[in-house]
Amino acid sequence: MVSKRKHVKENSTIQRFNDSTNEQLMINISKEGYYGRFGGAFIPEMLHPNVEEIRQTYVEMIKDESFQKEFRHLLRDYVGRPTPLFLAQRLSEKYQTNIYLKREDLCHTGAHKVNNTIGQILLAKRLGKKRIIAETGAGQHGVATATVCALMGLPCVVYMGAVDIERQQPNVSRMKMLGAEVRPATSGSQTLKDATNEAIRDWINNPEDTHYIIGSVVGPHPYPDMVARFQSVISEEIKWQLEAATGKPNPDLIIACVGGGSNAAGAFYHYLNEEEVRLIAVEASGLGVDSGESAATSVLGTEGIIHGSRTLLMQTPDGQIIEPYSISAGLDYPGIGPMHAHLIQSGRAEAVHITDQEALNAAYDLSKREGIIPALETAHAFAALDKIEFKKSDVIVVNLSGRGDKDLNTYIKHLG
Amino acid sequence: MFRLEKTFKNKNQQLLNVYFTAGFPALKDTETIIRSLSKSGVDVIEVGMPYSDPMADGPTIQKSGMQALENGMSVSVLFAQLEKIREEVETPLVLMGYFNQVMQFGEEAFLKRCQAVGVDGLILPDLPLSVYENEYQDLFKKYDLAPIFLITPQTSEERIRKIDQLSRGFIYVVSSAAITGNSKEISPEQVAYFERIENMNLRLPRMIGFGISDHQSFTTACQYADGAIIGSAFIRALENGEGELEKTIEEFVKGIRNKPITI
């Protein structure tokens, strides 16, 4: 009986995901792609036709039944969705509350990033594109892009900061084995920001045959919205999984780390209008918010334009973008997705800031307590548990966005 | 009359627009470079405001921008340097930069300052046409500044018409789908594109930019437009120039013109 019920639920998540993408958006986004005052498409004319083509087709495409069928099929049989929602008992005991882990680390390739790359590779095919480019920070999006390119037989070039190539070697090797070319970005801070600049330049140079798979809810409209929609499968599943586990679809809190913010966008998406659910966006504060070595965009950032969207970003009074710092390559970004800038500024989401050391400690603790080695990015979300007050009766969902194999070198080095 | 419009109206040779990055090679070179370009007979001078994340620029201009920022260049410093330039130089000046720089200075304050120091037009590649039209058109008019927009081989005819309506001074014709600094021969496809634009009988004059690096590409481009724009090749000349800046610039411009071209 139990297993039968589970089976029904699994089918229903797929069905509901389909329904939800046919509904109106869960958050008000204007026709021009603004969340409140953030968003838009500040792009050079050279990119106008490409971005316009995507803007005009993506909603229709996502609604299209044949797209949905292929997308759902790949998410289930290739990615391994739905991912489990796991009650972490020992962690719950530690914090004297009820903590569920959304296991995106169990997705094929080891992180949530593949939800988006599956969606975008299907889009690229529909647009008739013959070549794929991507940027990557921690390498998870690069691996996820290289993976779907291998699956679809398309050539793939991944731009990665030279510094990140050093600190995320295992993912570099994975991308190469998957047949992708990894091109180092050697300008600026040689991290995610610069990799994104290089990818944009590549796209400007190859506008007709190339699709740019952006890995986060950043970039010009419609990317933030499109990526959020592809990632929204995370909160779609949390809803029915939590209802099955606790009788209620809504948790009291959802915690997710935010660099650009794609896993948080996915985990928050179907709760955006459920005001009683507290949304916690965890940013990397590096050596400390005021240390000068930080990536805490929501406090250090001011309004401006980065990578084609109007959002909060770390910059000088002269408008030069500041190079951020975090031990985690995936959170080492001077901006934040426009949706999150809006959620945080409007008070809908709360920002929490976690240092390198706090994240490392949380990673060691989760590994020993639950037998799960999280990605360094994800470890920031777990460290936030120490910073938030909650009740014993609260139900908390932590989005376990990725696994930590890629970070073993860093973990071992700091273990002493 | 508006300096840019006068330049195009009175032209008696193919027009040469040269780009340089303000604050490069040295912070204080801005005025010298503008004076020398003007003296050498350059028709339009494009002053680049160095930016940390110049997504439409190639490696040469990026590198010069990083150097300029290290030298201490900023929007305020640049305006201060341009303060007295109109006492000596009549050549039209166009500022090129990224919209975030304008936003942080304050849009209206920026435009007001441009007018005060004698800037004639602005090229802001990441300011979208629709945002300009809805939010900034009136301010550009108020401060008598020319918004200069780009068109590319992929720009639709309808959009080119709209750009022709909204721009002032000239239209920046991007020679190919490429970022600055990629010097290639001008291909038959590019020629077909230039001719297509020429046959549209646009209201405004056109200057072709991107990939123009020497006498040959300059003269070829000029067959299909009112003039052409050189950026990366000039930056490289400044980088490699060993003698005085003035001399390097004079020789560079001579090399591009080669011999006076009369039409």
Side-chain angles (χ1 to χ4, degrees):
Chain A
M1 190 61 203
V2 171
S3 70
K4 193 177 172 191
R5 181 166 167 237
K6 188 166 174 276
H7 181 70
V8 170
K9 283 288 180 190
E10 280 177 12
N11 281 338
S12 73
T13 188
I14 304 285
Q15 189 53 49
R16 280 191 215 178
F17 179 60
N18 185 13
D19 289 344
S20 73
T21 52
N22 284 316
E23 284 166 15
Q24 67 201 30
L25 271 175
M26 294 283 185
I27 178 172
N28 289 330
I29 177 169
S30 75
K31 206 171 113 263
E32 292 81 23
Y34 283 90
Y35 303 87
R37 49 191 298 111
F38 301 112
F42 294 83
I43 45 162
E45 188 61 33
M46 295 84 103
L47 292 180
H48 179 81
N50 284 21
V51 170
E52 188 59 19
E53 179 181 45
I54 298 171
R55 191 183 71 80
Q56 285 181 359
T57 53
Y58 85 108
V59 174
E60 199 182 311
M61 185 203 75
I62 293 175
K63 283 181 190 168
D64 184 90
E65 201 171 317
S66 67
F67 171 84
Q68 276 296 320
K69 204 173 158 211
E70 197 172 3
F71 186 52
R72 281 177 278 140
H73 154 70
L74 288 171
L75 285 186
R76 189 186 63 214
D77 296 341
Y78 189 68
V79 174
R81 302 205 73 93
T83 59
L85 185 73
F86 176 68
L87 174 61
Q89 288 189 334
R90 296 189 65 213
L91 197 67
S92 297
E93 271 166 35
K94 177 185 172 186
Y95 288 102
Q96 289 295 295
T97 189
N98 309 288
I99 300 171
Y100 287 86
L101 311 181
K102 181 57 176 166
R103 297 292 310 274
E104 292 300 298
D105 61 319
L106 295 179
C107 285
H108 176 46
T109 71
H112 71 289
K113 291 288 187 189
V114 71
N115 302 326
N116 168 47
T117 60
I118 294 272
Q120 284 204 47
I121 199 81
L122 295 178
L123 171 76
K125 275 180 67 185
R126 284 194 178 220
L127 295 175
K129 301 294 181 182
K130 304 282 181 237
R131 175 178 176 267
I132 300 296
I133 56 170
E135 85 297 336
T136 197
Q140 286 302 130
H141 174 59
V143 168
T145 304
T147 298
V148 297
C149 286
L151 183 69
M152 299 295 173
L154 289 173
C156 176
V157 174
V158 179
Y159 290 90
M160 188 170 189
V163 168
D164 293 338
I165 286 178
E166 277 307 306
R167 60 179 163 176
Q168 306 278 232
Q169 264 303 324
N171 274 346
V172 176
S173 305
R174 289 167 79 197
M175 284 183 267
K176 287 182 179 163
M177 186 159 173
L178 290 160
E181 180 191 342
V182 181
R183 288 193 193 159
T186 54
S187 62
S189 55
Q190 311 186 359
T191 60
L192 180 54
K193 158 179 102 79
D194 312 287
T196 308
N197 288 338
E198 289 305 321
I200 291 172
R201 288 195 185 100
D202 183 312
W203 207 22
I204 288 174
N205 279 321
N206 302 285
E208 285 179 285
D209 67 337
T210 299
H211 176 66
Y212 177 19
I213 300 190
I214 295 183
S216 193
V217 286
V218 302
H221 176 66
Y223 277 102
D225 181 47
M226 179 167 69
V227 176
R229 284 174 185 240
F230 289 141
Q231 292 294 356
S232 72
V233 65
I234 299 172
S235 47
E236 190 62 45
E237 289 174 3
I238 294 173
K239 277 207 156 182
W240 68 257
Q241 289 172 322
L242 207 57
E243 186 165 21
T246 69
K248 286 189 290 184
N250 291 3
D252 296 287
L253 287 94
I254 304 176
I255 304 175
C257 64
V258 175
S262 71
N263 92 78
F268 295 169
Y269 198 87
H270 290 280
Y271 294 109
L272 290 171
N273 291 343
E274 315 271 351
E275 294 282 341
E276 73 274 19
V277 181
R278 283 173 66 191
L279 308 176
I280 313 289
V282 184
E283 292 185 302
S285 59
L287 302 182
V289 171
D290 301 318
S291 67
E293 297 289 335
S294 182
T297 309
S298 72
V299 279
L300 300 172
T302 53
E303 207 172 311
I305 289 162
I306 182 170
H307 298 140
S309 82
R310 185 174 183 131
T311 186
L312 296 174
L313 63 127
M314 292 164 57
Q315 58 182 328
T316 68
D318 191 41
Q320 307 294 339
I321 297 174
I322 290 173
E323 293 166 5
Y325 166 78
S326 165
I327 192 171
S328 139
L331 304 182
D332 201 352
Y333 184 69
I336 184 170
M339 172 179 139
H340 294 297
H342 176 63
L343 292 176
I344 291 170
Q345 277 218 338
S346 66
R348 177 66 191 93
E350 303 158 51
V352 171
H353 301 99
I354 296 300
T355 63
D356 289 356
Q357 193 56 54
E358 289 165 340
L360 287 167
N361 293 345
Y364 299 136
D365 187 66
L366 185 73
S367 302
K368 295 214 176 93
R369 208 175 285 273
E370 296 289 347
I372 298 170
I373 300 174
L376 253 172
E377 292 74 21
T378 313
H380 287 72
F382 283 93
L385 289 165
D386 284 321
K387 307 262 168 153
I388 304 164
E389 284 189 20
F390 31 69
K391 297 193 293 287
K392 196 162 188 215
S393 61
D394 277 349
V395 171
I396 296 164
V397 174
V398 181
N399 197 31
L400 214 174
S401 55
R403 69 178 188 222
D405 308 42
K406 69 185 179 60
D407 298 308
L408 271 187
N409 282 343
T410 308
Y411 286 148
I412 289 162
K413 193 172 128 200
H414 287 85
L415 205 49
Chain B
M1 200 200 296
F2 191 65
R3 273 182 294 262
L4 265 175
E5 279 147 9
K6 207 158 102 188
T7 300
F8 286 96
K9 191 161 174 262
N10 300 340
K11 83 166 189 162
N12 54 13
Q13 62 179 353
Q14 296 297 4
L15 300 180
L16 172 61
N17 175 340
V18 173
Y19 167 98
F20 76 100
T21 304
F24 176 87
L27 180 63
K28 296 208 163 102
D29 288 338
T30 311
E31 289 152 278
T32 313
I33 293 174
I34 292 175
R35 262 198 314 267
S36 306
L37 285 171
S38 179
K39 255 188 220 154
S40 307
V42 165
D43 304 288
V44 179
I45 300 172
E46 204 178 307
V47 185
M49 306 186 288
Y51 190 53
S52 57
D53 295 72
M55 67 167 142
D57 289 305
T60 307
I61 291 177
Q62 271 180 65
K63 224 176 92 193
S64 69
M66 292 314 286
Q67 183 62 53
L69 290 174
E70 270 173 41
N71 293 345
M73 185 46 77
S74 69
V75 174
S76 316
V77 168
L78 177 60
F79 279 135
Q81 291 179 345
L82 296 178
E83 198 89 58
K84 297 217 163 80
I85 203 76
R86 282 299 173 212
E87 291 174 8
E88 317 172 51
V89 175
E90 258 306 297
T91 312
L93 289 177
V94 173
L95 288 194
M96 189 272 173
Y98 289 82
F99 188 54
N100 194 44
Q101 298 172 286
V102 178
M103 244 179 104
Q104 301 314 316
F105 197 87
E107 292 92 330
E108 180 153 12
F110 184 93
L111 299 177
K112 197 174 170 180
R113 202 88 168 85
C114 281
Q115 188 191 33
V117 301
V119 165
D120 300 282
L122 287 169
I123 301 173
L124 301 166
D126 62 342
L127 171 63
L129 193 64
S130 58
V131 175
Y132 166 77
E133 189 182 11
N134 298 329
E135 295 176 37
Y136 300 111
Q137 199 174 182
D138 293 342
L139 281 179
F140 273 69
K141 286 188 178 141
K142 182 174 172 188
Y143 295 105
D144 201 25
L145 291 163
I148 295 158
F149 288 99
L150 277 57
I151 63 173
T152 80
Q154 280 79 36
T155 310
S156 67
E157 179 170 342
E158 189 191 352
R159 196 167 162 85
I160 293 174
R161 297 264 175 226
K162 187 153 193 199
I163 287 169
D164 189 38
Q165 281 311 308
L166 288 172
S167 303
R168 192 177 159 191
F170 65 92
I171 291 176
Y172 194 131
V173 180
V174 176
S175 67
S176 67
I179 51 179
T180 60
N182 294 0
S183 79
K184 285 177 210 150
E185 297 279 296
I186 290 176
S187 67
E189 289 79 20
Q190 284 172 293
V191 168
Y193 153 63
F194 297 152
E195 284 174 344
R196 175 165 62 84
I197 306 300
E198 203 173 17
N199 292 334
M200 284 181 72
N201 294 315
L202 298 175
R203 188 176 72 92
L204 290 177
R206 289 155 286 118
M207 298 196 100
I208 294 175
F210 288 45
I212 313 299
S213 59
D214 53 17
H215 172 71
Q216 198 193 332
S217 47
F218 175 71
T219 43
T220 309
C222 285
Q223 288 170 24
Y224 306 98
D226 299 273
I229 306 165
I230 297 187
S232 300
F234 181 63
I235 300 291
R236 279 192 292 271
L238 292 181
E239 252 168 19
N240 302 332
E242 282 169 358
E244 281 182 14
L245 214 47
E246 287 91 339
K247 193 96 188 125
T248 306
I249 292 169
E250 199 191 322
E251 276 167 19
F252 178 83
V253 174
K254 260 190 206 153
I256 297 297
R257 293 245 192 243
N258 208 349
K259 53 184 177 193
I261 303 152
T262 44
I263 50 168

